[in-house]
Amino acid sequence: MRYNLERPLINALDSAAIFRHHTCSMKLLGWLRFTWERKTLPSSSYLITEEYSIRRATKHEKTQAWQVINSCFLLDTCWNEVLNDLLPRMRHDFEEKFSHREIDCLVITHGNRTIGASLIKPSPETSNHLLSGPCISSEYRNRGFGSLLLKESLLAVAKQGISKVFGITRSTSPAAKFVYPKFGGTSESYKMPLGDVALAH
């Protein structure tokens, strides 16, 4: 009996190609891009109390801000299939933002602790102004901090004269379901180029 030794190899190569195709499709598909009109955004209302504050980050808050952003994406399973592409690029943008005098990152603090962070890109040429989206430490979720951080992020971008603010997220993310529809956010399906950094958990 003669065995076709080439056929298993061909089948294996075909399977690998199919896997790569589906992996690429999973990364390209399953995204939503939300749009907010500047004219419909609410006015700013910073939460500044003895316990909590929301404002632009300072350089000494860099480590805590990244810990909040990083942990949010690691904990939400909807990001698992794109984490290897997403986190290194987001870290690059994060480092770039913190290299400037005015840091394009908003934080919510509770005493000396950073409990929320949102990396923004207030540029009219970008397809995504909310680089990380509003990230909140797990123990502080479901208290309205995510909505507050989203609102202040939108206002910070719109303040630069941008008439439409864009935010991209996974269609299955908590942000897509509960946060981004707020403040007049409307969504459309979006094919995510692998070169883009997306986000909102």
Side-chain angles (χ1 to χ4, degrees):
M1 180 180 294
R2 295 181 62 187
Y3 292 94
N4 187 344
L5 298 179
E6 294 182 355
R7 176 52 55 186
L9 176 59
I10 293 172
N11 289 340
L13 291 174
D14 289 344
S15 298
I18 292 170
F19 176 78
R20 285 195 300 272
H21 170 74
H22 284 302
T23 301
C24 183
S25 297
M26 284 191 293
K27 291 178 180 179
L28 286 170
L29 304 177
W31 300 91
L32 291 176
R33 187 170 79 163
F34 282 78
T35 303
W36 295 265
E37 299 278 352
R38 180 178 61 182
K39 61 186 178 182
T40 64
L41 293 177
S43 59
S44 180
S45 58
Y46 282 93
L47 178 67
I48 302 177
T49 67
E50 292 183 359
E51 290 186 291
Y52 298 98
S53 69
I54 180 169
R55 50 177 169 70
R56 282 189 181 267
T58 61
K59 290 189 182 295
H60 78 269
E61 292 165 328
K62 178 181 176 181
T63 299
Q64 286 194 46
W66 176 250
Q67 287 174 345
V68 170
I69 293 171
N70 187 58
S71 65
C72 281
F73 286 97
L74 290 175
L75 290 174
D76 286 330
T77 57
C78 68
W79 296 100
N80 286 353
E81 66 187 23
V82 295
L83 275 179
N84 289 338
D85 291 316
L86 185 153
L87 281 181
R89 295 174 186 181
M90 190 183 298
R91 184 60 188 261
H92 177 271
D93 278 0
F94 181 87
E95 294 290 340
E96 193 274 331
K97 294 297 182 185
F98 271 82
S99 69
H100 296 289
R101 184 171 183 178
E102 186 174 49
I103 301 169
D104 286 330
C105 181
L106 302 182
V107 293
I108 297 179
T109 60
H110 182 196
N112 294 324
R113 182 183 180 189
T114 300
I115 65 167
S118 175
L119 202 64
I120 61 175
K121 186 176 183 179
S123 168
E125 289 81 25
T126 186
S127 61
N128 181 29
H129 297 102
L130 308 180
L131 294 182
S132 69
C135 297
I136 305 295
S137 295
S138 58
E139 60 267 44
Y140 288 88
R141 293 185 179 184
N142 301 316
R143 302 188 193 181
F145 290 124
S147 298
L148 176 65
L149 191 52
L150 170 64
K151 182 178 71 171
E152 298 302 335
S153 299
L154 295 174
L155 292 171
V157 172
K159 188 178 180 180
Q160 303 304 311
I162 296 169
S163 59
K164 290 185 178 181
V165 183
F166 300 120
I168 301 171
T169 187
R170 299 293 281 170
S171 59
T172 55
S173 70
K177 298 175 183 177
F178 307 115
V179 183
Y180 274 18
K182 297 183 177 181
F183 313 118
T186 58
S187 65
E188 60 183 349
S189 297
Y190 186 77
K191 282 192 175 183
M192 185 66 178
L194 296 184
D196 285 4
V197 176
L199 310 150
H201 71 286

